[in-house]
Amino acid sequence: MDRPPVWLMRQAGRYLPEYQEVKGGRSFGDLIGDPRVAAEITMQPVRRFGMDAAIVFSDILVVPQALGMGVSYGEDGPVIERLVRGMGDVERLEAGTFEAVAETMRIVREGIGDRALVGFAGGPLTLAAYMVEGRISRDLAGLRTMAMRRPEVVEALLGRISEVVGDLLEVQIRAGADVVQVFDTWAGRLPPDEYERWALPWVRRVVERIKGSVPVILYVDGCAGILEAMAGSGADVLSLDARVRLSDARARIGRVALQGNLDPVRLLGPVEGVRAGVRAMIGETGGEGHVVNLGHGVLPPTPIESVRAFVEAVGP
Amino acid sequence: MDRPPVWLMRQAGRYLPEYQEVKGGRSFGDLIGDPRVAAEITMQPVRRFGMDAAIVFSDILVVPQALGMGVSYGEDGPVIERLVRGMGDVERLEAGTFEAVAETMRIVREGIGDRALVGFAGGPLTLAAYMVEGRISRDLAGLRTMAMRRPEVVEALLGRISEVVGDLLEVQIRAGADVVQVFDTWAGRLPPDEYERWALPWVRRVVERIKGSVPVILYVDGCAGILEAMAGSGADVLSLDARVRLSDARARIGRVALQGNLDPVRLLGPVEGVRAGVRAMIGETGGEGHVVNLGHGVLPPTPIESVRAFVEAVGP
């Protein structure tokens, strides 16, 4: 292949009419819990646009769900029934399994030929934020205040989450994942010292556990101030949000492979702008050690023509 | 003074009991519109904690208000009555004055002795986002989509805002400001190329207009990816949010004076953590060319003892 590989975070989902058709009146939770349906949704964008990878249609909150937190999906996003308030809540966490996502991936693996299958899990800090705060706050003040006042509770929580994230990724790798991505999406809301204290060590633990099986991609939104720390995570590829230049990242951290990072808002504008954005992005890396992607997930109002232009601009 | 100067963004306001007492049942808009009351609120934290500067109690939305947008302050934050949808709305913008803030500053100037008086205005991009979107979205998609589809409208809007921001800062300087801060708070939500296209030129224009009168501080939240661009703004001091290390910033952009940047969430934890955070922050700059401050405004639930610890940890 004479061009960099390309896929898009959240490439399956609401902006696609064929997704809306399959979804019908069902909730998001129903869709990801039904392997046949989830596999179909996973493959829809690959069929339509021909990108190089399919990412399993699932959710990072399958981990809190497996831990017994009670996760449901309403119109305004996910709701977590039982939040973690203290050590007793951590001790009561359960040990679930991941049958639906594994079966989904086995079906997709059969259906996508030699395209790559991407598995994923939330990062421990990001999941802990959901499990303590319920909804993600702008500054993660709830989780961070608990970390300052009850560090032993947050450490125990992160430790337990990390084990289960590792379990999930191992299940996905056995089910056919060619690569896995850790979405530590909200860890970029921490200052660098707190990132190194409360996010990085647990990402490292997850990466170490699966190291040598498949490559690991680490994604953090708002990563411009913590690139050097992320480069020490052991991840094979760093997936960057749009608020840092790929060329600056390379100058700062050397030749780590990068993924990203066109801003998804650009796909709400004219297609010429999408093409120019893709070309500029590839120009920053020369296309080497670069997985072309967005800096965050596809937005629901994105026109289909923008996604097509994004994929086609990478090259034939 | 054998220590760096110190003040805190949003040091006046809701966390102070003396503010609550003065406020009574009045709205935020009533408070900033009444110079005697606003001056009293401005001076409250200086009286209690003895920091080195007072920042006038006002709001960045006085500019949209002067432009005739109709700004009111409800329980859930500010509401802008008329939004900018097209060129006609830009052409209809009015030219208001800034009597209340000027009078507030004259009163404060008399009342704070040799402490510094800080004036401020919103950055053009940040104000344009409010005027187009009403409430600030996570990715400023509303404003940015308009910039992609109708660039001439957004340029005209930014041009008009910049003039009035310059007017406001000149009024504040005449009324006794020793330094002014441009809060381009939400400009850090743009990718670097869009920051350089849609935010920086108008900040430069504002800085050029008042250059030579008083020093200008430029604040952007989420600035880690655009430090080099900000350093080219002409501002005398760059005020950084908490998600970048001061030492990294200095390594990247050289000896520009810096302000910041302890995360305000740290003030929700134990006071020993506040003191350690202040010492670590000063350790990163050696205290030279450094105005000690937070990385964002004081949070409403902040304990008074945390603010006292913050100021005292800088030194006697």
Side-chain angles (χ1 to χ4, degrees), chain A residues 138 144 148-149 188 191-194 225 242-243 263 265-266 268-269 296, chain B residues 138 144 148-149 188 191-194 225 242-243 263 265-266 268-269 296:
Chain A
R138 199 177 64 88
R144 293 166 62 199
M148 288 188 284
R149 299 199 172 275
D193 59 335
E194 293 182 44
R243 282 160 294 151
D263 195 304
V265 170
R266 292 290 292 271
L268 305 182
H296 206 90
Chain B
R138 198 177 65 89
R144 293 167 62 199
M148 288 187 284
R149 298 197 172 277
D193 59 334
E194 293 183 43
R243 283 160 294 152
D263 195 304
V265 170
R266 292 289 292 272
L268 305 182
H296 206 91

PDB file of all heavy atoms in Angstrom, chain A residues 138 144 148-149 188 191-194 225 242-243 263 265-266 268-269 296, chain B residues 138 144 148-149 188 191-194 225 242-243 263 265-266 268-269 296:
ATOM      1  N   ARG A 138     -16.277  18.913  33.402  1.00  0.00           N
ATOM      2  CA  ARG A 138     -15.262  19.614  32.623  1.00  0.00           C
ATOM      3  C   ARG A 138     -13.859  19.404  33.192  1.00  0.00           C
ATOM      4  O   ARG A 138     -12.885  19.315  32.448  1.00  0.00           O
ATOM      5  CB  ARG A 138     -15.572  21.120  32.578  1.00  0.00           C
ATOM      6  CG  ARG A 138     -14.879  21.878  31.463  1.00  0.00           C
ATOM      7  CD  ARG A 138     -15.311  23.342  31.458  1.00  0.00           C
ATOM      8  NE  ARG A 138     -14.907  24.022  32.652  1.00  0.00           N
ATOM      9  CZ  ARG A 138     -13.721  24.635  32.803  1.00  0.00           C
ATOM     10  NH1 ARG A 138     -12.861  24.672  31.814  1.00  0.00           N
ATOM     11  NH2 ARG A 138     -13.418  25.232  33.933  1.00  0.00           N
ATOM     12  N   ARG A 144     -11.058  13.759  41.060  1.00  0.00           N
ATOM     13  CA  ARG A 144      -9.774  14.294  41.508  1.00  0.00           C
ATOM     14  C   ARG A 144      -9.821  14.706  42.976  1.00  0.00           C
ATOM     15  O   ARG A 144      -8.819  14.596  43.689  1.00  0.00           O
ATOM     16  CB  ARG A 144      -9.364  15.461  40.616  1.00  0.00           C
ATOM     17  CG  ARG A 144      -9.053  14.995  39.192  1.00  0.00           C
ATOM     18  CD  ARG A 144      -8.968  16.149  38.229  1.00  0.00           C
ATOM     19  NE  ARG A 144      -7.894  17.045  38.593  1.00  0.00           N
ATOM     20  CZ  ARG A 144      -7.803  18.304  38.164  1.00  0.00           C
ATOM     21  NH1 ARG A 144      -8.730  18.796  37.366  1.00  0.00           N
ATOM     22  NH2 ARG A 144      -6.792  19.044  38.549  1.00  0.00           N
ATOM     23  N   MET A 148      -7.458  13.220  45.969  1.00  0.00           N
ATOM     24  CA  MET A 148      -6.690  14.013  46.943  1.00  0.00           C
ATOM     25  C   MET A 148      -7.024  13.613  48.379  1.00  0.00           C
ATOM     26  O   MET A 148      -6.168  13.608  49.248  1.00  0.00           O
ATOM     27  CB  MET A 148      -6.975  15.510  46.741  1.00  0.00           C
ATOM     28  CG  MET A 148      -6.331  16.089  45.476  1.00  0.00           C
ATOM     29  SD  MET A 148      -6.471  17.912  45.348  1.00  0.00           S
ATOM     30  CE  MET A 148      -8.194  18.103  44.855  1.00  0.00           C
ATOM     31  N   ARG A 149      -8.293  13.294  48.618  1.00  0.00           N
ATOM     32  CA  ARG A 149      -8.729  13.055  50.004  1.00  0.00           C
ATOM     33  C   ARG A 149      -8.703  11.587  50.385  1.00  0.00           C
ATOM     34  O   ARG A 149      -8.507  11.243  51.549  1.00  0.00           O
ATOM     35  CB  ARG A 149     -10.145  13.639  50.201  1.00  0.00           C
ATOM     36  CG  ARG A 149     -10.197  15.142  49.966  1.00  0.00           C
ATOM     37  CD  ARG A 149     -11.426  15.793  50.577  1.00  0.00           C
ATOM     38  NE  ARG A 149     -11.324  17.249  50.480  1.00  0.00           N
ATOM     39  CZ  ARG A 149     -10.676  18.022  51.365  1.00  0.00           C
ATOM     40  NH1 ARG A 149     -10.091  17.483  52.426  1.00  0.00           N
ATOM     41  NH2 ARG A 149     -10.614  19.333  51.193  1.00  0.00           N
ATOM     42  N   GLY A 188      -6.917  13.692  29.472  1.00  0.00           N
ATOM     43  CA  GLY A 188      -6.291  14.960  29.105  1.00  0.00           C
ATOM     44  C   GLY A 188      -6.867  16.146  29.847  1.00  0.00           C
ATOM     45  O   GLY A 188      -6.409  17.267  29.674  1.00  0.00           O
ATOM     46  N   PRO A 191      -4.017  17.926  34.814  1.00  0.00           N
ATOM     47  CA  PRO A 191      -2.704  18.552  34.634  1.00  0.00           C
ATOM     48  C   PRO A 191      -1.641  17.455  34.492  1.00  0.00           C
ATOM     49  O   PRO A 191      -1.850  16.324  34.946  1.00  0.00           O
ATOM     50  CB  PRO A 191      -2.494  19.330  35.927  1.00  0.00           C
ATOM     51  CG  PRO A 191      -3.803  19.348  36.628  1.00  0.00           C
ATOM     52  CD  PRO A 191      -4.607  18.202  36.122  1.00  0.00           C
ATOM     53  N   PRO A 192      -0.493  17.781  33.883  1.00  0.00           N
ATOM     54  CA  PRO A 192       0.528  16.760  33.624  1.00  0.00           C
ATOM     55  C   PRO A 192       0.953  15.966  34.865  1.00  0.00           C
ATOM     56  O   PRO A 192       1.130  14.746  34.772  1.00  0.00           O
ATOM     57  CB  PRO A 192       1.699  17.575  33.059  1.00  0.00           C
ATOM     58  CG  PRO A 192       1.037  18.737  32.380  1.00  0.00           C
ATOM     59  CD  PRO A 192      -0.151  19.075  33.235  1.00  0.00           C
ATOM     60  N   ASP A 193       1.119  16.616  36.000  1.00  0.00           N
ATOM     61  CA  ASP A 193       1.560  15.852  37.183  1.00  0.00           C
ATOM     62  C   ASP A 193       0.488  14.856  37.617  1.00  0.00           C
ATOM     63  O   ASP A 193       0.798  13.735  38.019  1.00  0.00           O
ATOM     64  CB  ASP A 193       1.971  16.781  38.339  1.00  0.00           C
ATOM     65  CG  ASP A 193       0.842  17.695  38.798  1.00  0.00           C
ATOM     66  OD1 ASP A 193      -0.080  17.985  37.999  1.00  0.00           O
ATOM     67  OD2 ASP A 193       0.865  18.121  39.962  1.00  0.00           O
ATOM     68  N   GLU A 194      -0.770  15.242  37.520  1.00  0.00           N
ATOM     69  CA  GLU A 194      -1.836  14.312  37.886  1.00  0.00           C
ATOM     70  C   GLU A 194      -2.006  13.215  36.830  1.00  0.00           C
ATOM     71  O   GLU A 194      -2.337  12.075  37.157  1.00  0.00           O
ATOM     72  CB  GLU A 194      -3.162  15.051  38.112  1.00  0.00           C
ATOM     73  CG  GLU A 194      -3.115  15.949  39.343  1.00  0.00           C
ATOM     74  CD  GLU A 194      -4.461  16.641  39.605  1.00  0.00           C
ATOM     75  OE1 GLU A 194      -5.512  15.987  39.519  1.00  0.00           O
ATOM     76  OE2 GLU A 194      -4.449  17.854  39.888  1.00  0.00           O
ATOM     77  N   GLY A 225      -0.287  18.710  26.213  1.00  0.00           N
ATOM     78  CA  GLY A 225       0.622  18.958  27.329  1.00  0.00           C
ATOM     79  C   GLY A 225       1.238  17.707  27.928  1.00  0.00           C
ATOM     80  O   GLY A 225       2.060  17.804  28.843  1.00  0.00           O
ATOM     81  N   ALA A 242      -7.104  17.011  17.852  1.00  0.00           N
ATOM     82  CA  ALA A 242      -6.782  17.992  16.807  1.00  0.00           C
ATOM     83  C   ALA A 242      -6.063  19.225  17.322  1.00  0.00           C
ATOM     84  O   ALA A 242      -5.614  20.050  16.535  1.00  0.00           O
ATOM     85  CB  ALA A 242      -8.073  18.421  16.101  1.00  0.00           C
ATOM     86  N   ARG A 243      -5.930  19.365  18.647  1.00  0.00           N
ATOM     87  CA  ARG A 243      -5.387  20.616  19.168  1.00  0.00           C
ATOM     88  C   ARG A 243      -3.873  20.585  19.361  1.00  0.00           C
ATOM     89  O   ARG A 243      -3.316  21.302  20.179  1.00  0.00           O
ATOM     90  CB  ARG A 243      -6.129  21.002  20.442  1.00  0.00           C
ATOM     91  CG  ARG A 243      -7.495  21.615  20.100  1.00  0.00           C
ATOM     92  CD  ARG A 243      -8.439  21.563  21.257  1.00  0.00           C
ATOM     93  NE  ARG A 243      -8.764  20.167  21.568  1.00  0.00           N
ATOM     94  CZ  ARG A 243      -9.086  19.726  22.760  1.00  0.00           C
ATOM     95  NH1 ARG A 243      -9.118  20.542  23.772  1.00  0.00           N
ATOM     96  NH2 ARG A 243      -9.361  18.453  22.952  1.00  0.00           N
ATOM     97  N   ASP A 263      -9.714  17.639  12.885  1.00  0.00           N
ATOM     98  CA  ASP A 263     -10.834  17.955  13.764  1.00  0.00           C
ATOM     99  C   ASP A 263     -12.147  17.526  13.097  1.00  0.00           C
ATOM    100  O   ASP A 263     -12.405  17.892  11.955  1.00  0.00           O
ATOM    101  CB  ASP A 263     -10.851  19.453  14.047  1.00  0.00           C
ATOM    102  CG  ASP A 263     -11.744  19.786  15.221  1.00  0.00           C
ATOM    103  OD1 ASP A 263     -12.933  19.417  15.195  1.00  0.00           O
ATOM    104  OD2 ASP A 263     -11.253  20.391  16.178  1.00  0.00           O
ATOM    105  N   VAL A 265     -14.994  18.613  13.354  1.00  0.00           N
ATOM    106  CA  VAL A 265     -15.801  19.767  12.925  1.00  0.00           C
ATOM    107  C   VAL A 265     -15.507  20.129  11.470  1.00  0.00           C
ATOM    108  O   VAL A 265     -16.390  20.619  10.761  1.00  0.00           O
ATOM    109  CB  VAL A 265     -15.552  20.985  13.858  1.00  0.00           C
ATOM    110  CG1 VAL A 265     -16.190  22.247  13.300  1.00  0.00           C
ATOM    111  CG2 VAL A 265     -16.082  20.693  15.261  1.00  0.00           C
ATOM    112  N   ARG A 266     -14.295  19.853  11.031  1.00  0.00           N
ATOM    113  CA  ARG A 266     -13.947  20.140   9.626  1.00  0.00           C
ATOM    114  C   ARG A 266     -14.854  19.386   8.649  1.00  0.00           C
ATOM    115  O   ARG A 266     -15.062  19.828   7.527  1.00  0.00           O
ATOM    116  CB  ARG A 266     -12.477  19.781   9.359  1.00  0.00           C
ATOM    117  CG  ARG A 266     -11.479  20.682  10.072  1.00  0.00           C
ATOM    118  CD  ARG A 266     -11.458  22.087   9.489  1.00  0.00           C
ATOM    119  NE  ARG A 266     -10.917  22.084   8.151  1.00  0.00           N
ATOM    120  CZ  ARG A 266      -9.621  22.210   7.858  1.00  0.00           C
ATOM    121  NH1 ARG A 266      -8.743  22.382   8.831  1.00  0.00           N
ATOM    122  NH2 ARG A 266      -9.199  22.174   6.623  1.00  0.00           N
ATOM    123  N   LEU A 268     -17.925  19.110   8.903  1.00  0.00           N
ATOM    124  CA  LEU A 268     -19.205  19.815   8.787  1.00  0.00           C
ATOM    125  C   LEU A 268     -19.134  20.918   7.736  1.00  0.00           C
ATOM    126  O   LEU A 268     -20.134  21.554   7.429  1.00  0.00           O
ATOM    127  CB  LEU A 268     -19.613  20.407  10.141  1.00  0.00           C
ATOM    128  CG  LEU A 268     -19.687  19.420  11.306  1.00  0.00           C
ATOM    129  CD1 LEU A 268     -20.151  20.130  12.576  1.00  0.00           C
ATOM    130  CD2 LEU A 268     -20.598  18.243  10.995  1.00  0.00           C
ATOM    131  N   GLY A 269     -17.949  21.168   7.204  1.00  0.00           N
ATOM    132  CA  GLY A 269     -17.774  22.209   6.190  1.00  0.00           C
ATOM    133  C   GLY A 269     -17.712  21.611   4.783  1.00  0.00           C
ATOM    134  O   GLY A 269     -17.960  20.418   4.596  1.00  0.00           O
ATOM    135  N   HIS A 296     -11.069  13.176  17.032  1.00  0.00           N
ATOM    136  CA  HIS A 296     -12.151  12.773  17.948  1.00  0.00           C
ATOM    137  C   HIS A 296     -13.166  12.052  17.065  1.00  0.00           C
ATOM    138  O   HIS A 296     -12.985  11.974  15.862  1.00  0.00           O
ATOM    139  CB  HIS A 296     -12.760  14.019  18.600  1.00  0.00           C
ATOM    140  CG  HIS A 296     -13.389  13.746  19.938  1.00  0.00           C
ATOM    141  ND1 HIS A 296     -12.685  13.842  21.134  1.00  0.00           N
ATOM    142  CD2 HIS A 296     -14.636  13.362  20.284  1.00  0.00           C
ATOM    143  CE1 HIS A 296     -13.497  13.539  22.139  1.00  0.00           C
ATOM    144  NE2 HIS A 296     -14.677  13.251  21.648  1.00  0.00           N
TER     145      HIS A 296
ATOM    146  N   ARG B 138     -18.645  22.478  23.183  1.00  0.00           N
ATOM    147  CA  ARG B 138     -17.363  21.832  23.444  1.00  0.00           C
ATOM    148  C   ARG B 138     -16.351  22.083  22.333  1.00  0.00           C
ATOM    149  O   ARG B 138     -15.159  22.213  22.584  1.00  0.00           O
ATOM    150  CB  ARG B 138     -17.570  20.316  23.619  1.00  0.00           C
ATOM    151  CG  ARG B 138     -16.436  19.597  24.305  1.00  0.00           C
ATOM    152  CD  ARG B 138     -16.775  18.115  24.499  1.00  0.00           C
ATOM    153  NE  ARG B 138     -16.912  17.431  23.230  1.00  0.00           N
ATOM    154  CZ  ARG B 138     -15.905  16.853  22.573  1.00  0.00           C
ATOM    155  NH1 ARG B 138     -14.695  16.867  23.096  1.00  0.00           N
ATOM    156  NH2 ARG B 138     -16.103  16.261  21.436  1.00  0.00           N
ATOM    157  N   ARG B 144     -17.419  27.758  14.063  1.00  0.00           N
ATOM    158  CA  ARG B 144     -16.436  27.270  13.095  1.00  0.00           C
ATOM    159  C   ARG B 144     -17.092  26.844  11.780  1.00  0.00           C
ATOM    160  O   ARG B 144     -16.505  27.005  10.715  1.00  0.00           O
ATOM    161  CB  ARG B 144     -15.639  26.128  13.721  1.00  0.00           C
ATOM    162  CG  ARG B 144     -14.756  26.632  14.872  1.00  0.00           C
ATOM    163  CD  ARG B 144     -14.223  25.481  15.698  1.00  0.00           C
ATOM    164  NE  ARG B 144     -13.386  24.622  14.902  1.00  0.00           N
ATOM    165  CZ  ARG B 144     -13.072  23.359  15.239  1.00  0.00           C
ATOM    166  NH1 ARG B 144     -13.572  22.827  16.354  1.00  0.00           N
ATOM    167  NH2 ARG B 144     -12.298  22.649  14.474  1.00  0.00           N
ATOM    168  N   MET B 148     -16.294  28.385   8.084  1.00  0.00           N
ATOM    169  CA  MET B 148     -15.983  27.620   6.875  1.00  0.00           C
ATOM    170  C   MET B 148     -16.909  27.995   5.722  1.00  0.00           C
ATOM    171  O   MET B 148     -16.505  28.023   4.563  1.00  0.00           O
ATOM    172  CB  MET B 148     -16.096  26.108   7.150  1.00  0.00           C
ATOM    173  CG  MET B 148     -14.953  25.570   8.017  1.00  0.00           C
ATOM    174  SD  MET B 148     -14.970  23.744   8.167  1.00  0.00           S
ATOM    175  CE  MET B 148     -16.309  23.489   9.339  1.00  0.00           C
ATOM    176  N   ARG B 149     -18.192  28.276   6.046  1.00  0.00           N
ATOM    177  CA  ARG B 149     -19.179  28.483   4.982  1.00  0.00           C
ATOM    178  C   ARG B 149     -19.373  29.956   4.631  1.00  0.00           C
ATOM    179  O   ARG B 149     -19.692  30.292   3.499  1.00  0.00           O
ATOM    180  CB  ARG B 149     -20.518  27.847   5.385  1.00  0.00           C
ATOM    181  CG  ARG B 149     -20.409  26.331   5.587  1.00  0.00           C
ATOM    182  CD  ARG B 149     -21.753  25.622   5.585  1.00  0.00           C
ATOM    183  NE  ARG B 149     -21.561  24.174   5.599  1.00  0.00           N
ATOM    184  CZ  ARG B 149     -21.324  23.428   4.516  1.00  0.00           C
ATOM    185  NH1 ARG B 149     -21.269  23.988   3.327  1.00  0.00           N
ATOM    186  NH2 ARG B 149     -21.140  22.117   4.634  1.00  0.00           N
ATOM    187  N   GLY B 188      -8.724  28.083  22.762  1.00  0.00           N
ATOM    188  CA  GLY B 188      -7.946  26.842  22.818  1.00  0.00           C
ATOM    189  C   GLY B 188      -8.742  25.625  22.374  1.00  0.00           C
ATOM    190  O   GLY B 188      -8.214  24.515  22.326  1.00  0.00           O
ATOM    191  N   PRO B 191      -8.226  23.917  16.651  1.00  0.00           N
ATOM    192  CA  PRO B 191      -6.935  23.348  16.240  1.00  0.00           C
ATOM    193  C   PRO B 191      -5.956  24.485  15.920  1.00  0.00           C
ATOM    194  O   PRO B 191      -6.385  25.594  15.604  1.00  0.00           O
ATOM    195  CB  PRO B 191      -7.274  22.563  14.971  1.00  0.00           C
ATOM    196  CG  PRO B 191      -8.754  22.474  14.907  1.00  0.00           C
ATOM    197  CD  PRO B 191      -9.308  23.596  15.714  1.00  0.00           C
ATOM    198  N   PRO B 192      -4.649  24.200  15.977  1.00  0.00           N
ATOM    199  CA  PRO B 192      -3.652  25.259  15.782  1.00  0.00           C
ATOM    200  C   PRO B 192      -3.832  26.061  14.494  1.00  0.00           C
ATOM    201  O   PRO B 192      -3.683  27.283  14.503  1.00  0.00           O
ATOM    202  CB  PRO B 192      -2.323  24.494  15.793  1.00  0.00           C
ATOM    203  CG  PRO B 192      -2.593  23.314  16.679  1.00  0.00           C
ATOM    204  CD  PRO B 192      -4.017  22.930  16.396  1.00  0.00           C
ATOM    205  N   ASP B 193      -4.147  25.389  13.375  1.00  0.00           N
ATOM    206  CA  ASP B 193      -4.280  26.167  12.133  1.00  0.00           C
ATOM    207  C   ASP B 193      -5.464  27.116  12.198  1.00  0.00           C
ATOM    208  O   ASP B 193      -5.398  28.244  11.719  1.00  0.00           O
ATOM    209  CB  ASP B 193      -4.365  25.241  10.898  1.00  0.00           C
ATOM    210  CG  ASP B 193      -5.544  24.282  10.959  1.00  0.00           C
ATOM    211  OD1 ASP B 193      -6.013  23.957  12.074  1.00  0.00           O
ATOM    212  OD2 ASP B 193      -6.011  23.829   9.899  1.00  0.00           O
ATOM    213  N   GLU B 194      -6.560  26.690  12.823  1.00  0.00           N
ATOM    214  CA  GLU B 194      -7.712  27.579  12.957  1.00  0.00           C
ATOM    215  C   GLU B 194      -7.447  28.675  13.995  1.00  0.00           C
ATOM    216  O   GLU B 194      -7.933  29.797  13.861  1.00  0.00           O
ATOM    217  CB  GLU B 194      -8.975  26.786  13.316  1.00  0.00           C
ATOM    218  CG  GLU B 194      -9.427  25.877  12.183  1.00  0.00           C
ATOM    219  CD  GLU B 194     -10.724  25.144  12.506  1.00  0.00           C
ATOM    220  OE1 GLU B 194     -11.663  25.758  13.047  1.00  0.00           O
ATOM    221  OE2 GLU B 194     -10.791  23.919  12.249  1.00  0.00           O
ATOM    222  N   GLY B 225      -1.143  23.346  22.810  1.00  0.00           N
ATOM    223  CA  GLY B 225      -0.798  23.126  21.410  1.00  0.00           C
ATOM    224  C   GLY B 225      -0.547  24.395  20.618  1.00  0.00           C
ATOM    225  O   GLY B 225      -0.186  24.322  19.438  1.00  0.00           O
ATOM    226  N   ALA B 242      -3.781  24.851  33.290  1.00  0.00           N
ATOM    227  CA  ALA B 242      -3.006  23.890  34.093  1.00  0.00           C
ATOM    228  C   ALA B 242      -2.523  22.685  33.307  1.00  0.00           C
ATOM    229  O   ALA B 242      -1.755  21.877  33.828  1.00  0.00           O
ATOM    230  CB  ALA B 242      -3.852  23.423  35.278  1.00  0.00           C
ATOM    231  N   ARG B 243      -2.971  22.533  32.058  1.00  0.00           N
ATOM    232  CA  ARG B 243      -2.658  21.300  31.332  1.00  0.00           C
ATOM    233  C   ARG B 243      -1.377  21.397  30.499  1.00  0.00           C
ATOM    234  O   ARG B 243      -1.200  20.658  29.538  1.00  0.00           O
ATOM    235  CB  ARG B 243      -3.870  20.883  30.495  1.00  0.00           C
ATOM    236  CG  ARG B 243      -4.935  20.237  31.398  1.00  0.00           C
ATOM    237  CD  ARG B 243      -6.284  20.262  30.756  1.00  0.00           C
ATOM    238  NE  ARG B 243      -6.741  21.637  30.626  1.00  0.00           N
ATOM    239  CZ  ARG B 243      -7.575  22.055  29.693  1.00  0.00           C
ATOM    240  NH1 ARG B 243      -8.030  21.223  28.791  1.00  0.00           N
ATOM    241  NH2 ARG B 243      -7.948  23.323  29.653  1.00  0.00           N
ATOM    242  N   ASP B 263      -3.992  24.168  38.911  1.00  0.00           N
ATOM    243  CA  ASP B 263      -5.364  23.807  38.592  1.00  0.00           C
ATOM    244  C   ASP B 263      -6.280  24.184  39.760  1.00  0.00           C
ATOM    245  O   ASP B 263      -6.017  23.811  40.902  1.00  0.00           O
ATOM    246  CB  ASP B 263      -5.440  22.301  38.330  1.00  0.00           C
ATOM    247  CG  ASP B 263      -6.744  21.926  37.650  1.00  0.00           C
ATOM    248  OD1 ASP B 263      -7.823  22.243  38.192  1.00  0.00           O
ATOM    249  OD2 ASP B 263      -6.672  21.318  36.574  1.00  0.00           O
ATOM    250  N   VAL B 265      -8.925  22.988  40.738  1.00  0.00           N
ATOM    251  CA  VAL B 265      -9.426  21.808  41.464  1.00  0.00           C
ATOM    252  C   VAL B 265      -8.516  21.481  42.651  1.00  0.00           C
ATOM    253  O   VAL B 265      -8.987  20.964  43.672  1.00  0.00           O
ATOM    254  CB  VAL B 265      -9.555  20.601  40.502  1.00  0.00           C
ATOM    255  CG1 VAL B 265      -9.839  19.310  41.267  1.00  0.00           C
ATOM    256  CG2 VAL B 265     -10.643  20.854  39.471  1.00  0.00           C
ATOM    257  N   ARG B 266      -7.236  21.797  42.521  1.00  0.00           N
ATOM    258  CA  ARG B 266      -6.308  21.538  43.635  1.00  0.00           C
ATOM    259  C   ARG B 266      -6.740  22.266  44.910  1.00  0.00           C
ATOM    260  O   ARG B 266      -6.434  21.828  46.019  1.00  0.00           O
ATOM    261  CB  ARG B 266      -4.878  21.953  43.258  1.00  0.00           C
ATOM    262  CG  ARG B 266      -4.253  21.083  42.177  1.00  0.00           C
ATOM    263  CD  ARG B 266      -3.936  19.682  42.709  1.00  0.00           C
ATOM    264  NE  ARG B 266      -2.871  19.719  43.681  1.00  0.00           N
ATOM    265  CZ  ARG B 266      -1.575  19.644  43.380  1.00  0.00           C
ATOM    266  NH1 ARG B 266      -1.190  19.499  42.134  1.00  0.00           N
ATOM    267  NH2 ARG B 266      -0.664  19.692  44.328  1.00  0.00           N
ATOM    268  N   LEU B 268      -9.629  22.423  46.004  1.00  0.00           N
ATOM    269  CA  LEU B 268     -10.713  21.669  46.656  1.00  0.00           C
ATOM    270  C   LEU B 268     -10.150  20.580  47.561  1.00  0.00           C
ATOM    271  O   LEU B 268     -10.904  19.910  48.269  1.00  0.00           O
ATOM    272  CB  LEU B 268     -11.637  21.044  45.597  1.00  0.00           C
ATOM    273  CG  LEU B 268     -12.241  22.020  44.583  1.00  0.00           C
ATOM    274  CD1 LEU B 268     -13.166  21.275  43.629  1.00  0.00           C
ATOM    275  CD2 LEU B 268     -12.996  23.159  45.282  1.00  0.00           C
ATOM    276  N   GLY B 269      -8.850  20.373  47.543  1.00  0.00           N
ATOM    277  CA  GLY B 269      -8.225  19.355  48.376  1.00  0.00           C
ATOM    278  C   GLY B 269      -7.582  19.964  49.615  1.00  0.00           C
ATOM    279  O   GLY B 269      -7.779  21.146  49.914  1.00  0.00           O
ATOM    280  N   HIS B 296      -7.145  28.515  35.790  1.00  0.00           N
ATOM    281  CA  HIS B 296      -8.519  28.882  35.418  1.00  0.00           C
ATOM    282  C   HIS B 296      -9.089  29.588  36.658  1.00  0.00           C
ATOM    283  O   HIS B 296      -8.412  29.682  37.672  1.00  0.00           O
ATOM    284  CB  HIS B 296      -9.308  27.613  35.081  1.00  0.00           C
ATOM    285  CG  HIS B 296     -10.463  27.860  34.139  1.00  0.00           C
ATOM    286  ND1 HIS B 296     -10.344  27.764  32.777  1.00  0.00           N
ATOM    287  CD2 HIS B 296     -11.761  28.184  34.372  1.00  0.00           C
ATOM    288  CE1 HIS B 296     -11.521  28.030  32.203  1.00  0.00           C
ATOM    289  NE2 HIS B 296     -12.387  28.276  33.158  1.00  0.00           N
TER     290      HIS B 296
END
